[in-house]
Amino acid sequence: MTRLADIGAAVIGSGFIGTVHVEALRRLGVRVAGVLGSSAERGAARAADLGLARGYAGLAELLADDAVQVVHVTSPNELHHPQVKEILAAGRHVVCEKPLAMTSAESGELVQLARASGLVHAVNFNLRFYPLNQHVTELVRHGGIGEVRLATGHYFQDWLLHDTDWNWRLEKDRGGALRAVGDIGSHWLDLMTTLTGRRVEAVMAELTTFIPVRHKPAGPVETFSTRRAAETIPIRIETEDTATILLRFEGGGRGSVAISQLSPGRKNSLTYQVDGSTAAVAWDSERPEQLWIGRRDEPNQLLIRNPALMNAAGRAAARLPGGHVEGFADTFGAAFSAIYADVLAGGPSSSPAYATFEDGHEEMLVGDAVLASSHSGRWVEVARPATTAGADRGPGREVPAR
Ligand SMILES: NC(=O)c1ccc[n+]([C@@H]2O[C@H](COP(=O)([O-])OP(=O)(O)OC[C@H]3O[C@@H](n4cnc5c(N)ncnc54)[C@H](O)[C@@H]3O)[C@@H](O)[C@H]2O)c1
């Protein structure tokens, strides 16, 4: 294969984010062969809506399609592990939505299977690919803010504010034991590790469920839907609405993050400030074209996304000239460009800019430490066993306060 147009992809799931995957692939010029929905009828209907040739009746039918070399997994979280296993076994490259799996034992197994396969394996931590975040990654790597000291911020949404708001993510056996942290906090944590080049070493976390009972609609619900159902069933909620986490990074850095799906007015606001010894950088996903650069002894700067003013990494992720606003959906194009360069090459490169299964597994391990700390009320180190399987691993070791 030499060109993107020679590659065929299929997308599992055609809800909120599956549709964004299809659109981004088409913009790149990848052939989208079809989609797989929750039923043959739903898949056929969504394929027709999106102008795709095929709505597959099942995963076996999708994997029997020789036109497909890459499979994108955008189904609910509990399906990622079994579907990815089948995809790798069928010899297809895979792009999986976050979180990679429901548990670190599952994600560890997927890391091993992916490594053994020689296939491209990516997790869609797309927020890395806002051009200004790519710019910051390269800036920090080259010492542009000095020694990294403090990373702080939040990830706030409000779409689960009411007790009548419902989504499959609220069900522990469909979304995972961590909800706000797994669903959106994982993006923030992956982004901080990417920007600073430092992994999280230990956490001290508090998880809170402010709405202990929610009213589940009797019928299906779309993600981010604000419609109220007439008939509902009361359901006890076992996962967190909010999280407050203190962080220790490798190399001595410190941090804190607040995560919430109940913050009125914040639709999808990820913010960070990374303070270094010579400069600071701050960014807000609801104003993604602006990067604040703070300095002590000279005026602060506001860098507006502009290929002419960003470093090579920032330029590579940008599509349009400055002032021609890029946003959330564009990050998928930039992420997929990096992933599909490896697909064209036939296998994973040594240190890709996109998140791999190792990175997806890493966020599951940090999640384990968050959960363990929330139970014990103590600092917990992120446990990284030599084996990535994770099955023989405990929830992490408690560490003394420093
Ligand atoms: N990277 C991001 O920014 C981002 C944003 C949103 C969601 N996500 C992730 O994407 C995934 C989907 O989230 P969403 O918001 O699109 O959810 P959604 O509910 O809108 O869509 C899920 C889709 O999966 C389909 N589905 C259900 N069972 C299936 C099955 N057995 N086989 C195939 N398809 C099936 C549903 O019909 C639906 O179309 C989640 O893992 C979520 O964490 C990532």
Side-chain angles (χ1 to χ4, degrees):
M1 283 180 289
T2 53
R3 301 174 311 151
L4 288 173
D6 296 327
I7 301 173
V11 178
I12 301 179
S14 55
F16 164 47
I17 221 64
T19 307
V20 180
H21 280 244
V22 170
E23 289 169 356
L25 288 167
R26 283 176 151 167
R27 273 181 68 181
L28 281 189
V30 173
R31 282 182 294 104
V32 185
V35 287
L36 172 64
S38 51
S39 65
E41 297 70 38
R42 163 118 174 136
R46 292 297 293 140
D49 289 346
L50 295 165
L52 299 171
R54 297 192 64 175
Y56 301 102
L59 185 52
E61 187 178 297
L62 185 160
L63 295 172
D65 185 351
D66 291 335
V68 175
Q69 287 91 45
V70 189
V71 183
H72 291 238
V73 179
T74 77
S75 46
N77 301 351
E78 93 272 20
L79 296 171
H80 294 181
H81 174 257
Q83 289 177 335
V84 169
K85 270 180 85 165
E86 276 195 63
I87 295 161
L88 290 171
R92 304 309 211 287
H93 305 290
V94 56
V95 180
C96 184
E97 267 301 344
K98 39 55 59 177
L100 176 55
M102 295 283 278
T103 66
S104 60
E106 288 182 357
S107 59
E109 184 190 3
L110 294 182
V111 168
Q112 288 187 327
L113 293 171
R115 280 184 187 156
S117 74
L119 296 159
V120 173
H121 49 93
V123 176
N124 193 37
F125 281 122
N126 58 302
L127 304 189
R128 292 181 177 198
F129 281 89
Y130 278 98
L132 286 170
N133 289 339
Q134 286 292 306
H135 175 83
V136 170
T137 303
E138 188 166 305
L139 181 77
V140 173
R141 189 186 306 139
H142 291 118
I145 67 166
E147 180 197 328
V148 172
R149 290 175 171 165
L150 190 65
T152 52
H154 72 234
Y155 201 152
F156 291 161
Q157 297 182 333
D158 71 0
W159 67 296
L160 295 176
L161 178 64
H162 303 305
D163 65 1
T164 47
D165 291 325
W166 188 262
N167 188 266
W168 55 261
R169 289 165 171 82
L170 292 156
E171 292 174 84
K172 201 173 172 179
D173 57 351
R174 302 199 70 198
L178 284 171
R179 190 223 314 160
V181 174
D183 195 35
I184 55 177
S186 59
H187 272 299
W188 192 93
L189 292 160
D190 174 77
L191 189 57
M192 283 317 103
T193 292
T194 303
L195 298 182
T196 64
R198 308 284 183 166
R199 297 185 303 184
V200 174
E201 191 180 71
V203 301
M204 169 80 180
E206 177 149 48
L207 306 179
T208 308
T209 306
F210 284 99
I211 304 178
V213 176
R214 288 180 181 259
H215 303 283
K216 179 181 180 177
V221 183
E222 281 175 17
T223 300
F224 284 112
S225 168
T226 52
R227 264 187 305 164
R228 300 274 172 274
E231 266 187 64
T232 60
I233 308 154
I235 302 282
R236 182 153 291 282
I237 300 298
E238 297 171 73
T239 55
E240 78 285 0
D241 294 316
T242 69
T244 43
I245 311 176
L246 295 177
L247 300 154
R248 289 183 188 147
F249 291 91
E250 288 175 343
R254 294 290 184 264
S256 68
V257 61
I259 300 158
S260 161
Q261 293 177 314
L262 313 182
S263 292
R266 296 294 181 201
K267 304 304 169 195
N268 189 39
S269 168
L270 179 155
T271 65
Y272 66 76
Q273 177 162 328
V274 180
D275 296 341
S277 53
T278 59
V281 283
W283 182 82
D284 179 349
S285 65
E286 290 188 341
R287 291 188 185 78
E289 297 275 281
Q290 302 180 8
L291 178 72
W292 178 87
I293 303 169
R295 297 186 192 281
R296 153 75 185 262
D297 298 319
E298 50 187 285
N300 298 335
Q301 293 177 314
L302 198 61
L303 172 61
I304 309 296
R305 183 199 59 79
N306 184 341
L309 298 177
M310 293 186 295
N311 55 32
R315 275 198 303 281
R319 291 205 155 213
L320 303 174
H324 300 73
V325 177
E326 291 188 33
F328 177 79
D330 299 286
T331 63
F332 287 65
F336 296 173
S337 287
I339 296 165
Y340 276 74
D342 279 0
V343 170
L344 279 174
S349 47
S350 58
S351 53
Y354 63 83
T356 62
F357 279 16
E358 280 92 355
D359 299 311
H361 181 51
E362 169 68 16
E363 292 318 323
M364 299 301 300
L365 296 176
V366 175
D368 285 349
V370 166
L371 208 51
S373 170
S374 77
H375 290 146
S376 68
R378 293 175 181 275
W379 279 95
V380 173
E381 253 176 30
V382 177
R384 296 187 182 89
T387 162
T388 53
D392 54 346
R393 198 176 42 75
R397 191 167 64 81
E398 286 184 10
V399 289
R402 260 181 246 165

